[in-house]
Amino acid sequence: MIINHPLLGPRDAQEFTYLGDAGLMNRPYWLSETALQQFHDYLYLRENSAGEHRELWFHEQGDRSWLVVTRNTVTHEILKVELARDVALAQKAANLVQEPSQ
């Protein structure tokens, strides 16, 4: 499988380490009143559906970057590859827009 790294171009998947669902980037807020339940769900509950899935990959044998790879788990076709930092910054910006100002 070839992963088209956003900075380095096409790379063999053997250069990368798969690290799980990209939802792991959405860590619960530890001071929340429901933090215990949120962390339980975060750590133990996973969907394992067939089809399009966002995954975290680490470029261990390269520039050591973190990537969010959108992949079809049935066909293994890679639909999109993004730097994880860009995804996190976009999510943070979207959350700031949605939060009401105080």
Side-chain angles (χ1 to χ4, degrees):
M1 184 167 67
I2 301 296
I3 296 176
N4 193 15
H5 193 291
L7 301 175
L8 305 175
R11 296 285 188 245
D12 191 285
Q14 291 181 349
E15 293 183 18
F16 297 84
T17 301
Y18 170 77
L19 293 169
D21 189 319
L24 293 174
M25 293 174 52
N26 303 324
R27 186 183 176 110
Y29 180 57
W30 66 282
L31 290 177
S32 167
E33 291 181 12
T34 59
L36 185 60
Q37 183 62 45
Q38 289 177 3
F39 271 98
H40 173 272
D41 296 351
Y42 172 81
L43 291 171
Y44 297 110
L45 300 181
R46 302 276 189 266
E47 287 188 31
N48 192 19
S49 56
E52 191 172 309
H53 183 68
R54 294 180 79 207
E55 306 167 335
L56 283 174
W57 289 73
F58 180 63
H59 196 191
E60 187 170 16
Q61 297 177 14
D63 68 344
R64 305 188 66 76
S65 59
W66 289 79
L67 303 177
V68 174
V69 176
T70 304
R71 182 175 69 89
N72 185 314
T73 59
V74 176
T75 65
H76 298 294
E77 176 187 11
I78 294 178
L79 306 169
K80 187 175 187 181
V81 180
E82 306 164 272
L83 291 172
R85 72 160 186 240
D86 294 343
V87 172
L89 289 172
Q91 286 176 348
K92 184 176 181 180
N95 289 340
L96 289 175
V97 170
Q98 292 176 359
E99 291 178 8
S101 58
Q102 297 179 7

